[in-house]
Amino acid sequence: MGVPPKNWLVESILCTLCCCLPFGIVGIVKASNVNSLWNAGRYDEAYKASADAKKWTLIGVGVGLAVNIIYTIVMFATGFINNLQ
């Protein structure tokens, strides 16, 4: 039986709220399956769902950070931020 896998639910919710909505939602769906699969005795599927939840959460964080960095660079390059002062 062993130790249940991490479900990544909190991280997926934070990713959804702060970084990237679409990938965060996929992470939440995958994370919500982990505990139910584990309790049903489907251990391999629970570990797979945990890995998928981690993957989608980290992709969401990465995409969110990349978009914010690109947005900031574009704003500086166009002089938009300097015009606010």
Side-chain angles (χ1 to χ4, degrees), residues 56-71:
W56 286 107
T57 300
L58 293 179
I59 288 172
V61 169
V63 168
L65 288 174
V67 166
N68 282 314
I69 290 170
I70 291 169
Y71 177 78

Side-chain angles (χ1 to χ4, degrees), residues 25-79:
I25 290 173
V26 175
I28 289 173
V29 170
K30 298 291 185 180
S32 65
N33 290 332
V34 173
N35 291 342
S36 60
L37 288 169
W38 183 264
N39 292 333
R42 297 162 60 183
Y43 306 120
D44 292 335
E45 292 176 52
Y47 282 111
K48 171 85 167 86
S50 176
D52 287 346
K54 178 181 179 181
K55 175 181 72 174
W56 286 107
T57 300
L58 293 179
I59 288 172
V61 169
V63 168
L65 288 174
V67 166
N68 282 314
I69 290 170
I70 291 169
Y71 177 78
T72 302
I73 291 170
V74 168
M75 289 297 114
F76 274 116
T78 60

